[in-house]
Amino acid sequence: QGILLTLVYLVYFGILVLNYQLGRRTENVMRIVLYVLPFFALVGGMSLCWLFPMLSRYSNTIIGTIKTTLAATLAHPFKSLMMTALMIAPFLILLLTNWGVPILMTIGLSLCGYLRVMLYDPTFKMLERVRDPEEDEEDSEEDTEEDAEEE
């Protein structure tokens, strides 16, 4: 599923780039596209940050995963924007500095990943509480029964 979803996002971004190039070459109504496409690119990039955590956390279809990533992106825009910045930061450090390589090799990539997890983990915990309150009660009852049997 991950490979197929990556291909879907590559096609999505390819279409955006193609539309941007076509919009730059025309002088009519297509010029409006130049102002709309960065928004769609930003939303696509922000939803890409939610894609693989959603894919690894929940079992879902490809279309369902895309829908939930878009819903999470639109429901939590600040977190999504911060996760996108954390995803892009290592590449910007590499492009703009000469001293960035040793720092990125030691703590940079893992620190950015850890900070992204800190951003989306509370959201997942909230979704699981909202999604399965009855399962939580059943699990806690089973745990107390198992603890009583062990004693």
Side-chain angles (χ1 to χ4, degrees):
Q1 264 187 330
I3 293 171
L4 290 175
L5 284 167
T6 303
L7 291 175
V8 167
Y9 272 86
L10 283 175
V11 168
Y12 173 76
F13 285 116
I15 290 171
L16 287 179
V17 168
L18 181 66
N19 282 331
Y20 183 78
Q21 293 297 325
L22 290 174
R24 284 183 52 212
R25 293 184 182 150
T26 61
E27 297 180 8
N28 54 11
V29 180
M30 286 295 289
R31 298 291 286 181
I32 296 171
V33 170
L34 294 178
Y35 300 109
V36 175
L37 285 178
F39 171 75
F40 285 111
L42 183 65
V43 169
M46 289 179 1
S47 71
L48 187 63
C49 292
W50 288 95
L51 178 69
F52 291 105
M54 287 281 188
L55 191 59
S56 66
R57 189 86 173 221
Y58 305 111
S59 61
N60 209 345
T61 62
I62 291 175
I63 300 296
T65 303
I66 292 173
K67 286 179 183 178
T68 54
T69 58
L70 286 173
T73 300
L74 297 176
H76 305 284
F78 179 71
K79 286 182 181 182
S80 301
L81 197 58
M82 292 299 296
M83 288 170 43
T84 305
L86 287 169
M87 185 173 71
I88 294 172
F91 299 110
L92 289 179
I93 290 171
L94 281 175
L95 285 174
L96 301 176
T97 64
N98 293 333
W99 51 268
V101 175
I103 293 173
L104 285 177
M105 295 305 279
T106 54
I107 62 168
L109 296 174
S110 60
L111 180 64
C112 289
Y114 181 72
L115 292 174
R116 284 177 59 199
V117 169
M118 287 180 62
L119 284 171
Y120 66 69
D121 194 44
T123 305
F124 283 160
K125 287 182 181 179
M126 180 191 64
L127 286 173
E128 289 169 358
R129 267 188 274 129
V130 169
R131 190 174 178 184
D132 299 324
E134 295 173 1
E135 277 187 2
D136 291 339
E137 292 174 8
E138 292 173 6
D139 289 341
S140 62
E141 290 174 5
E142 290 174 5
D143 290 340
T144 54
E145 290 174 5
E146 289 175 3
D147 291 338
E149 289 176 6
E150 289 177 4
E151 293 175 4

Short mmCIF file of all heavy atoms in Angstrom, two decimals, residues 22-88:
data_model
loop_
_atom_site.label_atom_id
_atom_site.label_comp_id
_atom_site.label_asym_id
_atom_site.label_seq_id
_atom_site.Cartn_x
_atom_site.Cartn_y
_atom_site.Cartn_z
N LEU A 22 2.05 25.00 -17.54
CA LEU A 22 1.09 25.45 -18.55
C LEU A 22 0.51 26.81 -18.19
O LEU A 22 0.28 27.65 -19.07
CB LEU A 22 -0.04 24.43 -18.71
CG LEU A 22 0.35 23.10 -19.36
CD1 LEU A 22 -0.82 22.14 -19.32
CD2 LEU A 22 0.83 23.31 -20.78
N GLY A 23 0.27 27.06 -16.92
CA GLY A 23 -0.27 28.34 -16.50
C GLY A 23 0.71 29.48 -16.72
O GLY A 23 0.30 30.61 -17.00
N ARG A 24 1.98 29.21 -16.59
CA ARG A 24 2.99 30.26 -16.82
C ARG A 24 3.10 30.64 -18.28
O ARG A 24 3.50 31.76 -18.61
CB ARG A 24 4.35 29.78 -16.33
CG ARG A 24 4.48 29.82 -14.83
CD ARG A 24 5.84 29.42 -14.33
NE ARG A 24 6.89 30.20 -15.00
CZ ARG A 24 8.09 29.73 -15.26
NH1 ARG A 24 8.40 28.50 -14.93
NH2 ARG A 24 9.00 30.48 -15.85
N ARG A 25 2.76 29.74 -19.18
CA ARG A 25 2.91 30.00 -20.61
C ARG A 25 1.70 30.68 -21.24
O ARG A 25 1.78 31.12 -22.38
CB ARG A 25 3.19 28.69 -21.35
CG ARG A 25 4.53 28.11 -20.99
CD ARG A 25 4.83 26.89 -21.78
NE ARG A 25 6.12 26.35 -21.36
CZ ARG A 25 6.44 25.09 -21.40
NH1 ARG A 25 5.57 24.21 -21.86
NH2 ARG A 25 7.61 24.68 -21.00
N THR A 26 0.60 30.71 -20.54
CA THR A 26 -0.60 31.31 -21.11
C THR A 26 -0.83 32.68 -20.50
O THR A 26 -0.31 33.01 -19.44
CB THR A 26 -1.83 30.42 -20.87
OG1 THR A 26 -2.03 30.29 -19.47
CG2 THR A 26 -1.68 29.07 -21.52
N GLU A 27 -1.66 33.47 -21.17
CA GLU A 27 -1.94 34.82 -20.69
C GLU A 27 -3.43 35.04 -20.42
O GLU A 27 -3.85 36.16 -20.24
CB GLU A 27 -1.45 35.84 -21.72
CG GLU A 27 0.03 35.80 -21.91
CD GLU A 27 0.50 36.81 -22.94
OE1 GLU A 27 -0.33 37.64 -23.38
OE2 GLU A 27 1.67 36.77 -23.29
N ASN A 28 -4.20 34.01 -20.39
CA ASN A 28 -5.63 34.18 -20.20
C ASN A 28 -6.04 33.69 -18.81
O ASN A 28 -5.32 33.89 -17.85
CB ASN A 28 -6.42 33.48 -21.31
CG ASN A 28 -6.03 32.02 -21.44
OD1 ASN A 28 -5.34 31.48 -20.59
ND2 ASN A 28 -6.48 31.39 -22.49
N VAL A 29 -7.16 33.03 -18.73
CA VAL A 29 -7.73 32.60 -17.47
C VAL A 29 -6.82 31.62 -16.72
O VAL A 29 -6.84 31.55 -15.50
CB VAL A 29 -9.12 31.94 -17.72
CG1 VAL A 29 -9.75 31.47 -16.44
CG2 VAL A 29 -10.02 32.91 -18.44
N MET A 30 -5.97 30.91 -17.43
CA MET A 30 -5.08 29.94 -16.78
C MET A 30 -4.10 30.61 -15.81
O MET A 30 -3.49 29.94 -15.00
CB MET A 30 -4.30 29.14 -17.83
CG MET A 30 -5.12 28.11 -18.58
SD MET A 30 -5.71 26.80 -17.50
CE MET A 30 -4.19 25.94 -17.19
N ARG A 31 -3.94 31.92 -15.89
CA ARG A 31 -3.05 32.62 -14.97
C ARG A 31 -3.56 32.50 -13.53
O ARG A 31 -2.79 32.56 -12.59
CB ARG A 31 -2.90 34.09 -15.34
CG ARG A 31 -2.31 34.34 -16.69
CD ARG A 31 -0.88 33.98 -16.78
NE ARG A 31 -0.06 34.96 -16.07
CZ ARG A 31 1.24 34.88 -16.01
NH1 ARG A 31 1.88 33.91 -16.59
NH2 ARG A 31 1.92 35.77 -15.35
N ILE A 32 -4.86 32.34 -13.35
CA ILE A 32 -5.43 32.18 -12.02
C ILE A 32 -4.90 30.90 -11.38
O ILE A 32 -4.71 30.83 -10.17
CB ILE A 32 -6.97 32.16 -12.10
CG1 ILE A 32 -7.46 33.51 -12.59
CG2 ILE A 32 -7.60 31.80 -10.78
CD1 ILE A 32 -8.92 33.56 -12.91
N VAL A 33 -4.62 29.92 -12.21
CA VAL A 33 -4.10 28.64 -11.72
C VAL A 33 -2.80 28.83 -10.96
O VAL A 33 -2.51 28.13 -9.99
CB VAL A 33 -3.93 27.66 -12.90
CG1 VAL A 33 -3.19 26.41 -12.51
CG2 VAL A 33 -5.28 27.32 -13.48
N LEU A 34 -2.00 29.81 -11.34
CA LEU A 34 -0.72 30.06 -10.68
C LEU A 34 -0.91 30.45 -9.22
O LEU A 34 -0.01 30.25 -8.41
CB LEU A 34 0.06 31.14 -11.42
CG LEU A 34 0.52 30.80 -12.82
CD1 LEU A 34 1.23 31.99 -13.44
CD2 LEU A 34 1.43 29.59 -12.81
N TYR A 35 -2.05 31.02 -8.89
CA TYR A 35 -2.31 31.41 -7.52
C TYR A 35 -2.97 30.30 -6.72
O TYR A 35 -2.87 30.27 -5.49
CB TYR A 35 -3.18 32.66 -7.48
CG TYR A 35 -2.52 33.83 -8.17
CD1 TYR A 35 -3.01 34.28 -9.39
CD2 TYR A 35 -1.41 34.44 -7.62
CE1 TYR A 35 -2.40 35.35 -10.03
CE2 TYR A 35 -0.80 35.49 -8.26
CZ TYR A 35 -1.29 35.94 -9.47
OH TYR A 35 -0.67 36.99 -10.11
N VAL A 36 -3.66 29.40 -7.38
CA VAL A 36 -4.38 28.32 -6.70
C VAL A 36 -3.48 27.11 -6.48
O VAL A 36 -3.58 26.43 -5.45
CB VAL A 36 -5.64 27.94 -7.51
CG1 VAL A 36 -6.35 26.76 -6.90
CG2 VAL A 36 -6.57 29.13 -7.62
N LEU A 37 -2.58 26.83 -7.40
CA LEU A 37 -1.75 25.63 -7.32
C LEU A 37 -0.84 25.57 -6.09
O LEU A 37 -0.69 24.48 -5.52
CB LEU A 37 -0.92 25.47 -8.59
CG LEU A 37 -1.70 24.98 -9.80
CD1 LEU A 37 -0.79 24.89 -11.01
CD2 LEU A 37 -2.34 23.65 -9.54
N PRO A 38 -0.24 26.66 -5.64
CA PRO A 38 0.56 26.54 -4.41
C PRO A 38 -0.25 26.10 -3.20
O PRO A 38 0.26 25.37 -2.34
CB PRO A 38 1.12 27.95 -4.20
CG PRO A 38 1.17 28.52 -5.57
CD PRO A 38 -0.02 27.95 -6.28
N PHE A 39 -1.52 26.48 -3.14
CA PHE A 39 -2.38 26.01 -2.05
C PHE A 39 -2.54 24.50 -2.11
O PHE A 39 -2.41 23.81 -1.10
CB PHE A 39 -3.74 26.70 -2.11
CG PHE A 39 -4.74 26.12 -1.16
CD1 PHE A 39 -4.67 26.39 0.19
CD2 PHE A 39 -5.75 25.29 -1.64
CE1 PHE A 39 -5.59 25.84 1.06
CE2 PHE A 39 -6.67 24.74 -0.77
CZ PHE A 39 -6.59 25.02 0.58
N PHE A 40 -2.83 23.97 -3.30
CA PHE A 40 -2.99 22.53 -3.45
C PHE A 40 -1.68 21.79 -3.20
O PHE A 40 -1.67 20.68 -2.66
CB PHE A 40 -3.54 22.18 -4.83
CG PHE A 40 -5.00 22.49 -4.97
CD1 PHE A 40 -5.43 23.51 -5.78
CD2 PHE A 40 -5.95 21.75 -4.28
CE1 PHE A 40 -6.77 23.81 -5.91
CE2 PHE A 40 -7.29 22.03 -4.39
CZ PHE A 40 -7.72 23.07 -5.22
N ALA A 41 -0.56 22.39 -3.58
CA ALA A 41 0.74 21.77 -3.30
C ALA A 41 1.00 21.75 -1.80
O ALA A 41 1.52 20.75 -1.26
CB ALA A 41 1.85 22.53 -4.02
N LEU A 42 0.64 22.81 -1.09
CA LEU A 42 0.84 22.86 0.35
C LEU A 42 -0.05 21.84 1.06
O LEU A 42 0.41 21.12 1.96
CB LEU A 42 0.55 24.26 0.88
CG LEU A 42 0.79 24.48 2.37
CD1 LEU A 42 2.26 24.31 2.70
CD2 LEU A 42 0.30 25.85 2.77
N VAL A 43 -1.30 21.74 0.65
CA VAL A 43 -2.20 20.75 1.26
C VAL A 43 -1.71 19.34 0.96
O VAL A 43 -1.74 18.47 1.83
CB VAL A 43 -3.65 20.96 0.77
CG1 VAL A 43 -4.55 19.80 1.17
CG2 VAL A 43 -4.21 22.26 1.32
N GLY A 44 -1.23 19.10 -0.26
CA GLY A 44 -0.70 17.79 -0.59
C GLY A 44 0.54 17.46 0.22
O GLY A 44 0.70 16.33 0.71
N GLY A 45 1.43 18.42 0.39
CA GLY A 45 2.62 18.19 1.21
C GLY A 45 2.29 17.98 2.67
O GLY A 45 2.90 17.14 3.33
N MET A 46 1.31 18.73 3.17
CA MET A 46 0.92 18.55 4.56
C MET A 46 0.23 17.21 4.77
O MET A 46 0.44 16.56 5.79
CB MET A 46 0.00 19.71 5.00
CG MET A 46 0.75 21.01 5.13
SD MET A 46 -0.15 22.51 5.60
CE MET A 46 -1.82 22.12 5.85
N SER A 47 -0.55 16.76 3.81
CA SER A 47 -1.19 15.46 3.96
C SER A 47 -0.19 14.33 3.80
O SER A 47 -0.36 13.25 4.37
CB SER A 47 -2.34 15.29 2.97
OG SER A 47 -1.86 15.16 1.66
N LEU A 48 0.88 14.57 3.07
CA LEU A 48 1.94 13.57 2.94
C LEU A 48 2.61 13.30 4.29
O LEU A 48 3.04 12.17 4.56
CB LEU A 48 2.97 14.03 1.92
CG LEU A 48 4.06 13.06 1.52
CD1 LEU A 48 3.45 11.84 0.85
CD2 LEU A 48 5.04 13.72 0.58
N CYS A 49 2.64 14.30 5.16
CA CYS A 49 3.20 14.11 6.50
C CYS A 49 2.35 13.18 7.35
O CYS A 49 2.86 12.53 8.26
CB CYS A 49 3.35 15.45 7.20
SG CYS A 49 4.58 16.51 6.47
N TRP A 50 1.07 13.13 7.09
CA TRP A 50 0.17 12.25 7.85
C TRP A 50 0.06 10.87 7.22
O TRP A 50 -0.44 9.94 7.85
CB TRP A 50 -1.22 12.86 7.92
CG TRP A 50 -1.35 14.04 8.80
CD1 TRP A 50 -1.28 15.35 8.41
CD2 TRP A 50 -1.58 14.05 10.20
NE1 TRP A 50 -1.45 16.16 9.50
CE2 TRP A 50 -1.63 15.39 10.60
CE3 TRP A 50 -1.74 13.05 11.15
CZ2 TRP A 50 -1.85 15.77 11.93
CZ3 TRP A 50 -1.96 13.42 12.46
CH2 TRP A 50 -2.01 14.76 12.84
N LEU A 51 0.48 10.72 5.97
CA LEU A 51 0.21 9.50 5.20
C LEU A 51 0.80 8.26 5.86
O LEU A 51 0.08 7.30 6.15
CB LEU A 51 0.74 9.66 3.78
CG LEU A 51 0.56 8.45 2.88
CD1 LEU A 51 -0.91 8.25 2.58
CD2 LEU A 51 1.34 8.62 1.60
N PHE A 52 2.10 8.24 6.08
CA PHE A 52 2.72 7.02 6.57
C PHE A 52 2.42 6.74 8.04
O PHE A 52 2.28 5.57 8.41
CB PHE A 52 4.22 7.03 6.26
CG PHE A 52 4.47 6.90 4.79
CD1 PHE A 52 4.87 7.99 4.05
CD2 PHE A 52 4.26 5.70 4.14
CE1 PHE A 52 5.07 7.88 2.69
CE2 PHE A 52 4.44 5.59 2.78
CZ PHE A 52 4.86 6.68 2.05
N PRO A 53 2.27 7.76 8.90
CA PRO A 53 1.79 7.43 10.25
C PRO A 53 0.39 6.81 10.25
O PRO A 53 0.13 5.85 10.98
CB PRO A 53 1.80 8.78 10.97
CG PRO A 53 2.83 9.57 10.27
CD PRO A 53 2.76 9.13 8.84
N MET A 54 -0.50 7.33 9.41
CA MET A 54 -1.85 6.75 9.31
C MET A 54 -1.79 5.33 8.75
O MET A 54 -2.51 4.45 9.20
CB MET A 54 -2.74 7.60 8.40
CG MET A 54 -3.17 8.89 8.98
SD MET A 54 -4.52 8.67 10.12
CE MET A 54 -4.94 10.35 10.41
N LEU A 55 -0.93 5.14 7.78
CA LEU A 55 -0.80 3.83 7.15
C LEU A 55 -0.26 2.80 8.12
O LEU A 55 -0.70 1.64 8.12
CB LEU A 55 0.10 3.94 5.92
CG LEU A 55 0.16 2.77 4.97
CD1 LEU A 55 -1.22 2.47 4.41
CD2 LEU A 55 1.12 3.07 3.85
N SER A 56 0.67 3.20 8.96
CA SER A 56 1.25 2.24 9.90
C SER A 56 0.37 2.03 11.13
O SER A 56 0.47 0.99 11.76
CB SER A 56 2.64 2.71 10.34
OG SER A 56 2.54 3.89 11.09
N ARG A 57 -0.47 2.97 11.44
CA ARG A 57 -1.29 2.88 12.66
C ARG A 57 -2.61 2.16 12.43
O ARG A 57 -3.07 1.42 13.28
CB ARG A 57 -1.53 4.29 13.18
CG ARG A 57 -2.16 4.39 14.51
CD ARG A 57 -1.13 4.32 15.59
NE ARG A 57 -1.71 4.58 16.89
CZ ARG A 57 -1.13 5.31 17.80
NH1 ARG A 57 0.03 5.86 17.57
NH2 ARG A 57 -1.69 5.48 18.96
N TYR A 58 -3.23 2.38 11.28
CA TYR A 58 -4.57 1.84 11.03
C TYR A 58 -4.58 1.03 9.74
O TYR A 58 -3.89 1.35 8.79
CB TYR A 58 -5.58 2.99 10.89
CG TYR A 58 -5.60 3.93 12.07
CD1 TYR A 58 -5.14 5.23 11.96
CD2 TYR A 58 -6.07 3.51 13.30
CE1 TYR A 58 -5.14 6.08 13.04
CE2 TYR A 58 -6.08 4.36 14.39
CZ TYR A 58 -5.61 5.64 14.25
OH TYR A 58 -5.62 6.48 15.32
N SER A 59 -5.39 -0.01 9.73
CA SER A 59 -5.58 -0.76 8.48
C SER A 59 -6.77 -0.15 7.75
O SER A 59 -7.85 0.00 8.30
CB SER A 59 -5.82 -2.24 8.77
OG SER A 59 -6.98 -2.40 9.55
N ASN A 60 -6.53 0.21 6.49
CA ASN A 60 -7.54 0.92 5.73
C ASN A 60 -7.25 0.69 4.25
O ASN A 60 -6.18 0.25 3.87
CB ASN A 60 -7.48 2.42 6.05
CG ASN A 60 -8.81 3.10 5.90
OD1 ASN A 60 -9.73 2.56 5.30
ND2 ASN A 60 -8.91 4.30 6.44
N THR A 61 -8.21 1.01 3.41
CA THR A 61 -7.99 0.93 1.97
C THR A 61 -7.16 2.14 1.52
O THR A 61 -6.94 3.07 2.30
CB THR A 61 -9.33 0.93 1.22
OG1 THR A 61 -10.00 2.18 1.48
CG2 THR A 61 -10.20 -0.23 1.65
N ILE A 62 -6.73 2.12 0.28
CA ILE A 62 -5.91 3.23 -0.23
C ILE A 62 -6.74 4.52 -0.26
O ILE A 62 -6.27 5.57 0.20
CB ILE A 62 -5.36 2.88 -1.62
CG1 ILE A 62 -4.32 1.77 -1.49
CG2 ILE A 62 -4.76 4.10 -2.30
CD1 ILE A 62 -3.78 1.25 -2.78
N ILE A 63 -7.94 4.44 -0.76
CA ILE A 63 -8.81 5.63 -0.81
C ILE A 63 -9.15 6.08 0.61
O ILE A 63 -9.16 7.28 0.90
CB ILE A 63 -10.09 5.32 -1.61
CG1 ILE A 63 -9.76 4.91 -3.05
CG2 ILE A 63 -11.05 6.51 -1.59
CD1 ILE A 63 -9.09 6.00 -3.85
N GLY A 64 -9.42 5.14 1.50
CA GLY A 64 -9.71 5.49 2.89
C GLY A 64 -8.54 6.15 3.57
O GLY A 64 -8.71 7.09 4.36
N THR A 65 -7.33 5.68 3.28
CA THR A 65 -6.14 6.30 3.87
C THR A 65 -5.96 7.72 3.37
O THR A 65 -5.63 8.63 4.14
CB THR A 65 -4.89 5.46 3.55
OG1 THR A 65 -5.09 4.12 4.02
CG2 THR A 65 -3.66 6.03 4.20
N ILE A 66 -6.17 7.93 2.08
CA ILE A 66 -6.07 9.29 1.53
C ILE A 66 -7.12 10.20 2.15
O ILE A 66 -6.83 11.35 2.51
CB ILE A 66 -6.17 9.26 -0.01
CG1 ILE A 66 -4.95 8.56 -0.61
CG2 ILE A 66 -6.32 10.66 -0.57
CD1 ILE A 66 -5.03 8.32 -2.09
N LYS A 67 -8.33 9.70 2.33
CA LYS A 67 -9.39 10.50 2.94
C LYS A 67 -9.05 10.86 4.39
O LYS A 67 -9.25 12.00 4.80
CB LYS A 67 -10.72 9.76 2.90
CG LYS A 67 -11.37 9.71 1.54
CD LYS A 67 -12.67 8.93 1.60
CE LYS A 67 -13.30 8.81 0.24
NZ LYS A 67 -14.54 8.02 0.29
N THR A 68 -8.55 9.89 5.15
CA THR A 68 -8.23 10.18 6.55
C THR A 68 -7.03 11.12 6.67
O THR A 68 -6.99 11.96 7.58
CB THR A 68 -7.96 8.90 7.34
OG1 THR A 68 -6.95 8.13 6.69
CG2 THR A 68 -9.22 8.08 7.51
N THR A 69 -6.06 11.01 5.75
CA THR A 69 -4.93 11.94 5.81
C THR A 69 -5.37 13.35 5.47
O THR A 69 -4.94 14.31 6.11
CB THR A 69 -3.78 11.51 4.89
OG1 THR A 69 -4.26 11.41 3.55
CG2 THR A 69 -3.17 10.21 5.32
N LEU A 70 -6.25 13.48 4.48
CA LEU A 70 -6.77 14.82 4.15
C LEU A 70 -7.62 15.37 5.29
O LEU A 70 -7.56 16.57 5.59
CB LEU A 70 -7.56 14.78 2.85
CG LEU A 70 -6.73 14.65 1.59
CD1 LEU A 70 -7.63 14.46 0.37
CD2 LEU A 70 -5.83 15.85 1.40
N ALA A 71 -8.40 14.51 5.92
CA ALA A 71 -9.22 14.97 7.06
C ALA A 71 -8.33 15.41 8.22
O ALA A 71 -8.60 16.43 8.85
CB ALA A 71 -10.16 13.84 7.50
N ALA A 72 -7.28 14.66 8.50
CA ALA A 72 -6.37 15.03 9.58
C ALA A 72 -5.63 16.33 9.25
O ALA A 72 -5.40 17.16 10.11
CB ALA A 72 -5.37 13.91 9.85
N THR A 73 -5.27 16.49 7.97
CA THR A 73 -4.59 17.71 7.55
C THR A 73 -5.47 18.92 7.73
O THR A 73 -5.04 19.96 8.25
CB THR A 73 -4.17 17.60 6.08
OG1 THR A 73 -3.29 16.49 5.94
CG2 THR A 73 -3.50 18.85 5.59
N LEU A 74 -6.72 18.82 7.33
CA LEU A 74 -7.63 19.95 7.42
C LEU A 74 -8.14 20.16 8.85
O LEU A 74 -8.46 21.28 9.23
CB LEU A 74 -8.80 19.76 6.46
CG LEU A 74 -8.39 19.72 4.98
CD1 LEU A 74 -9.60 19.43 4.10
CD2 LEU A 74 -7.71 21.00 4.56
N ALA A 75 -8.18 19.10 9.65
CA ALA A 75 -8.63 19.25 11.03
C ALA A 75 -7.54 19.84 11.93
O ALA A 75 -7.85 20.51 12.91
CB ALA A 75 -9.07 17.89 11.58
N HIS A 76 -6.28 19.59 11.59
CA HIS A 76 -5.16 20.06 12.40
C HIS A 76 -4.16 20.80 11.51
O HIS A 76 -3.05 20.31 11.27
CB HIS A 76 -4.47 18.89 13.10
CG HIS A 76 -5.39 18.07 13.93
ND1 HIS A 76 -5.85 18.49 15.16
CD2 HIS A 76 -5.96 16.86 13.70
CE1 HIS A 76 -6.65 17.57 15.65
NE2 HIS A 76 -6.74 16.57 14.79
N PRO A 77 -4.52 21.98 11.02
CA PRO A 77 -3.63 22.66 10.07
C PRO A 77 -2.31 23.12 10.68
O PRO A 77 -1.27 23.06 10.03
CB PRO A 77 -4.46 23.85 9.58
CG PRO A 77 -5.49 24.06 10.61
CD PRO A 77 -5.75 22.73 11.24
N PHE A 78 -2.32 23.56 11.94
CA PHE A 78 -1.07 24.02 12.54
C PHE A 78 -0.10 22.86 12.73
O PHE A 78 1.09 22.98 12.41
CB PHE A 78 -1.35 24.70 13.88
CG PHE A 78 -0.10 25.17 14.56
CD1 PHE A 78 0.61 26.25 14.05
CD2 PHE A 78 0.39 24.53 15.67
CE1 PHE A 78 1.77 26.68 14.66
CE2 PHE A 78 1.55 24.95 16.28
CZ PHE A 78 2.25 26.03 15.77
N LYS A 79 -0.61 21.73 13.23
CA LYS A 79 0.26 20.56 13.39
C LYS A 79 0.78 20.09 12.04
O LYS A 79 1.94 19.71 11.90
CB LYS A 79 -0.50 19.41 14.07
CG LYS A 79 -0.73 19.60 15.53
CD LYS A 79 -1.43 18.39 16.11
CE LYS A 79 -1.68 18.59 17.58
NZ LYS A 79 -2.32 17.43 18.18
N SER A 80 -0.08 20.12 11.04
CA SER A 80 0.33 19.68 9.70
C SER A 80 1.40 20.59 9.13
O SER A 80 2.37 20.12 8.53
CB SER A 80 -0.88 19.66 8.77
OG SER A 80 -1.87 18.80 9.25
N LEU A 81 1.25 21.89 9.34
CA LEU A 81 2.24 22.83 8.86
C LEU A 81 3.58 22.66 9.58
O LEU A 81 4.64 22.70 8.96
CB LEU A 81 1.72 24.26 9.02
CG LEU A 81 2.41 25.34 8.23
CD1 LEU A 81 2.36 25.03 6.74
CD2 LEU A 81 1.78 26.68 8.51
N MET A 82 3.52 22.43 10.88
CA MET A 82 4.75 22.19 11.65
C MET A 82 5.43 20.89 11.22
O MET A 82 6.65 20.82 11.10
CB MET A 82 4.44 22.15 13.15
CG MET A 82 4.02 23.48 13.72
SD MET A 82 5.30 24.73 13.57
CE MET A 82 6.57 24.05 14.58
N MET A 83 4.63 19.84 10.96
CA MET A 83 5.21 18.58 10.51
C MET A 83 5.84 18.74 9.12
O MET A 83 6.90 18.15 8.85
CB MET A 83 4.13 17.49 10.49
CG MET A 83 3.75 17.05 11.88
SD MET A 83 2.30 15.97 11.99
CE MET A 83 2.50 14.82 10.70
N THR A 84 5.23 19.53 8.27
CA THR A 84 5.80 19.80 6.95
C THR A 84 7.11 20.55 7.08
O THR A 84 8.09 20.24 6.39
CB THR A 84 4.80 20.59 6.08
OG1 THR A 84 3.57 19.87 6.03
CG2 THR A 84 5.33 20.77 4.68
N ALA A 85 7.14 21.54 7.96
CA ALA A 85 8.38 22.29 8.18
C ALA A 85 9.48 21.38 8.72
O ALA A 85 10.65 21.49 8.31
CB ALA A 85 8.13 23.45 9.13
N LEU A 86 9.11 20.47 9.62
CA LEU A 86 10.10 19.53 10.15
C LEU A 86 10.56 18.53 9.09
O LEU A 86 11.69 18.03 9.16
CB LEU A 86 9.53 18.79 11.36
CG LEU A 86 9.41 19.62 12.63
CD1 LEU A 86 8.61 18.87 13.68
CD2 LEU A 86 10.79 19.96 13.16
N MET A 87 9.71 18.22 8.14
CA MET A 87 10.10 17.31 7.07
C MET A 87 11.05 18.01 6.09
O MET A 87 11.98 17.40 5.57
CB MET A 87 8.85 16.82 6.32
CG MET A 87 9.12 15.78 5.25
SD MET A 87 7.63 15.08 4.54
CE MET A 87 7.01 16.45 3.58
N ILE A 88 10.84 19.29 5.86
CA ILE A 88 11.65 20.03 4.90
C ILE A 88 12.95 20.57 5.53
O ILE A 88 13.94 20.77 4.83
CB ILE A 88 10.81 21.18 4.30
CG1 ILE A 88 9.67 20.59 3.47
CG2 ILE A 88 11.64 22.11 3.46
CD1 ILE A 88 8.67 21.61 2.99
#
